[in-house]
Amino acid sequence: MWNDLLTLIWIVIKIIIVIVPLLLAVAYLTFAERKVIGYIQARIGPNRVGYFGLLQPIADAVKLFLKEPIYPSSANPVLFLLAPILSMAPALAVWAVIPFDKGWVIANINAGLLYILAMTSLGVYGILIAGWASNSKYAFFGAMRSAAQVVSYEIAMGFALVGVLMAAGSTNLQDIIIRQQGGIWHWFWLPLLPMFLVYWISGLAETNRLPFDMAEGESEIVAGFHVEYSSMGFAMFFLAEYANMILVAALATIFFWGGWLSPFQGIPVLDSIFAWVPGIVWFLAKLGFFLLLFIWIRGTLPRYRYDQIMQLGWKVLIPVTIVWIVLIGLAIEFRMPPWFT
Amino acid sequence: MLSTVLQQIVFYFFAASLVFSAAMVVLSRNPVTSALFLVYSFFNSAILWMLLNAEFLSLVLIFVYVGAVMTLFLFVVMMLNIDIETLRKGFVRYLPFGLVAVALVVGLMITAIWPANFGALPNPQAAADYSNTGALGALLYTHYVYAFELAAMLLLVAIVAAISLSQHGKPQRKTQNISKQIDVDPKDRVHLVNMLSEKKQ
């Protein structure tokens, strides 16, 4: 019994070690986004609070804490409060299986990839319930758009990940990374290039980011599903969105870009020069690049129209993944070098 | 690994929660709340499967039923404007039939789950390298491959049927014809007229 208790305490400590930096990263991701978008648009971005505006996210958090929470009088009270929690909880729960370095993971489970698919598919409930419980037309439009979009792109994302697990022969995330060992050409981005593109596009759609932010669509439906939320409820939706962004970037790193593996592996001189760098540095560097890509895409592309989103998801991405799954199957069967020997 | 005591605490908590949410699916007055309780009961049963080391089934239950099927279901239920009063009128009228059906089901369940008939086995301890997903896949693609393929064909037929039913007749929606749009020549759209500039008389 005492051993159990100790295990539980140890698990809680590990969770805190992951969650606290994650929430800090979320806070500074909002700051980075405003800065990067600012520079893309030839502005400076926030620069008043602290040096270079570095305290801006803290100021934003304090502001949101102190604001008055407003409840619409005809909203469903229980579900209205539950919705932000339901979008936040799965976004944090997925981090249990993410390996940051070899062995640096809270739960090294065999069905890690399935667990990720299951947890990310729960995120849509927060949006759906928020839209319905607010008892507002705009919120409901946002929720409907989001439900249809997430369900469509989940299929494409699932198929893209089927390609990954076929290539790796495992659903354990650590095994998937170890299977990519041997240098930058052995990472799965090359044999699974169409899968990576499909995964990335559907990752953008799953997190409701531009160019797929139909659920919010400021210029069409005000702010979509969270139009009735203020104060911390509003903040929770944004925490969830940014935590999901970091998650999609982390998963892209793990599945297609070798996770913690060094990009110089297998290159004669550089390999030994960079041998001392711990894996987590590479992991975070790749993660940071994908986050930048998220913001970059937001600063570059206009919003898709709704029927075009559906067309892209069902008629382009899903057929591409199905064809590539067959090709990967053939490549594995005939042991195509250098990836599937 | 969790000790048996802790495992039992987890089991009884989620089993009770499953029974409660299953009851609330029927008892709740609001159809949306009912659907959400159904989601919650799926989630609870997924946890019970997880306790049996059936992680593949458990996670697929969440991924397929909670993540996709129930989302669409909820989507439809939210759009329907269900009049709860008319629904409740029928409740008392059909009560006797309902009670008989419930009595039959309960009797059936009790005979089936009675310890003597059920033949319950203790939860087998899996080996350390046991992969539920791998074991399931090996069985599905060898021993049960025909049944599996038949089920897949059945689903394909259902998909084709659903699409052909909903695509029946002339499409009513306005969509853009992309090839037509690309083929458009500016000369067909805009007619430029050369006019002499007018002068003040």
Side-chain angles (χ1 to χ4, degrees):
Chain A
M1 198 65 205
W2 285 114
N3 272 336
D4 277 350
L5 211 61
L6 278 179
T7 324
L8 279 181
I9 292 170
W10 179 228
I11 291 172
V12 171
I13 291 172
K14 283 202 269 193
I15 289 172
I16 291 170
I17 292 173
V18 172
I19 293 288
V20 171
L22 175 67
L23 291 179
L24 276 177
V26 166
Y28 276 91
L29 182 58
T30 61
F31 174 70
E33 173 158 43
R34 292 170 69 180
K35 273 285 190 193
V36 171
I37 295 253
Y39 284 120
I40 286 176
Q41 297 167 348
R43 296 181 285 116
I44 295 174
N47 66 343
R48 293 284 146 182
V49 192
Y51 288 105
F52 308 109
L54 274 174
L55 293 178
Q56 186 69 45
I58 315 254
D60 285 343
V62 170
K63 182 194 79 175
L64 283 167
F65 259 122
L66 298 179
K67 271 197 167 179
E68 182 194 359
I70 298 167
Y71 303 104
S73 55
S74 55
N76 184 322
V78 179
L79 291 181
F80 189 77
L81 285 178
L82 201 63
I85 301 170
L86 279 182
S87 65
M88 186 78 197
L92 296 182
V94 188
W95 287 89
V97 296
I98 303 290
F100 296 93
D101 198 343
K102 196 169 179 154
W104 290 21
V105 55
I106 297 177
N108 181 19
I109 59 175
N110 271 332
L113 194 146
L114 281 168
Y115 174 82
I116 285 169
L117 281 174
M119 284 298 129
T120 47
S121 68
L122 290 179
V124 67
Y125 278 94
I127 294 175
L128 254 182
I129 293 174
W132 185 78
S134 305
N135 199 14
S136 149
K137 283 191 184 63
Y138 289 119
F140 192 53
F141 279 135
M144 288 198 312
R145 285 175 170 200
S146 164
Q149 175 187 324
V150 169
V151 167
S152 315
Y153 278 81
E154 217 165 58
I155 300 170
M157 186 185 245
F159 272 134
L161 297 187
V162 165
V164 172
L165 73 88
M166 278 170 74
S170 167
T171 51
N172 182 314
L173 296 190
Q174 294 213 38
D175 288 351
I176 289 176
I177 294 177
I178 290 167
R179 182 69 186 65
Q180 299 178 49
Q181 229 153 17
I184 195 164
W185 305 110
H186 291 258
W187 297 351
F188 286 155
W189 69 273
L190 195 56
L192 300 178
L193 189 61
M195 294 297 202
F196 169 64
L197 295 177
V198 168
Y199 173 78
W200 185 250
I201 294 169
S202 31
L204 288 173
E206 290 264 301
T207 44
N208 286 319
R209 293 285 302 177
L210 271 159
F212 303 107
D213 68 335
M214 303 303 301
E216 288 175 41
E218 290 91 342
S219 52
E220 301 158 19
I221 47 172
V222 199
F225 63 96
H226 59 65
V227 67
E228 303 293 342
Y229 282 85
S230 59
S231 178
M232 276 319 277
F234 178 81
M236 291 272 271
F237 280 119
F238 269 82
L239 283 177
E241 182 182 325
Y242 282 88
N244 273 327
M245 270 169 72
I246 302 178
L247 178 78
V248 168
L251 293 182
T253 311
I254 290 168
F255 291 141
F256 300 98
W257 293 87
W260 67 74
L261 297 174
S262 157
F264 300 117
Q265 213 174 26
I267 301 171
V269 185
L270 289 170
D271 193 5
S272 48
I273 294 176
F274 286 99
W276 59 274
V277 179
I280 191 165
V281 173
W282 297 122
F283 181 79
L284 292 180
K286 293 170 193 172
L287 183 67
F289 172 75
F290 283 114
L291 289 175
L292 179 69
L293 201 57
F294 256 116
I295 299 168
W296 193 354
I297 289 172
R298 179 181 173 179
T300 310
L301 295 175
R303 182 180 301 131
Y304 259 83
R305 208 175 60 202
Y306 190 71
D307 60 319
Q308 289 174 332
I309 287 187
M310 287 297 154
Q311 182 136 12
L312 178 72
W314 288 99
K315 296 186 182 167
V316 178
L317 299 186
I318 294 177
V320 164
T321 50
I322 290 176
V323 168
W324 209 257
I325 283 176
V326 175
L327 289 180
I328 287 291
L330 288 175
I332 294 169
E333 180 61 33
F334 294 110
R335 306 190 168 277
M336 194 178 93
W339 303 295
F340 304 111
T341 45
Chain B
M1 242 10 246
L2 295 177
S3 72
T4 31
V5 181
L6 211 59
Q7 211 162 13
Q8 278 183 344
I9 293 172
V10 173
F11 172 79
Y12 281 110
F13 178 80
F14 284 104
S17 156
L18 172 60
V19 172
F20 167 76
S21 56
M24 284 308 286
V25 174
V26 189
L27 297 176
S28 156
R29 291 185 179 183
N30 189 331
V32 174
T33 334
S34 287
L36 286 174
F37 269 113
L38 187 57
V39 171
Y40 186 54
S41 59
F42 278 139
F43 198 80
N44 281 316
S45 39
I47 290 168
L48 295 188
W49 268 345
M50 191 73 94
L51 281 179
L52 287 171
N53 290 330
E55 74 248 9
F56 181 80
L57 286 177
S58 149
L59 291 170
V60 164
L61 178 72
I62 293 185
F63 180 45
V64 175
Y65 277 86
V66 178
V69 175
M70 284 313 290
T71 316
L72 293 177
F73 199 76
L74 205 59
F75 185 83
V76 174
V77 170
M78 280 176 177
M79 294 222 272
L80 296 176
N81 206 357
I82 296 172
D83 187 9
I84 297 156
E85 275 310 302
T86 39
L87 281 181
R88 274 159 60 81
K89 266 182 209 151
F91 189 73
V92 183
R93 221 176 97 200
Y94 296 117
L95 190 62
F97 302 102
L99 285 178
V100 171
V102 165
L104 280 175
V105 171
V106 167
L108 199 68
M109 292 287 263
I110 288 176
T111 19
I113 307 178
W114 203 257
N117 304 335
F118 195 55
L121 294 168
N123 191 3
Q125 275 303 314
D129 61 340
Y130 169 78
S131 162
N132 177 247
T133 318
L136 200 70
L139 262 185
L140 268 185
Y141 285 100
T142 54
H143 197 104
Y144 296 107
V145 68
Y146 291 124
F148 185 65
E149 297 285 328
L150 272 177
M153 278 310 291
L154 209 61
L155 282 174
L156 187 67
V157 170
I159 292 171
V160 173
I163 292 173
S164 61
L165 279 176
S166 60
Q167 290 282 317
H168 181 68
K170 223 173 93 188
Q172 299 288 312
R173 64 199 184 283
K174 290 177 179 168
T175 50
Q176 63 187 146
N177 187 339
I178 293 170
S179 56
K180 238 181 188 173
Q181 228 174 22
I182 293 169
D183 281 344
V184 162
D185 192 353
K187 281 179 214 146
D188 304 338
R189 288 277 172 96
V190 185
H191 184 57
L192 292 177
V193 185
N194 232 340
M195 276 179 73
L196 292 170
S197 55
E198 291 178 29
K199 286 186 183 125
K200 238 177 202 173
Q201 298 288 322

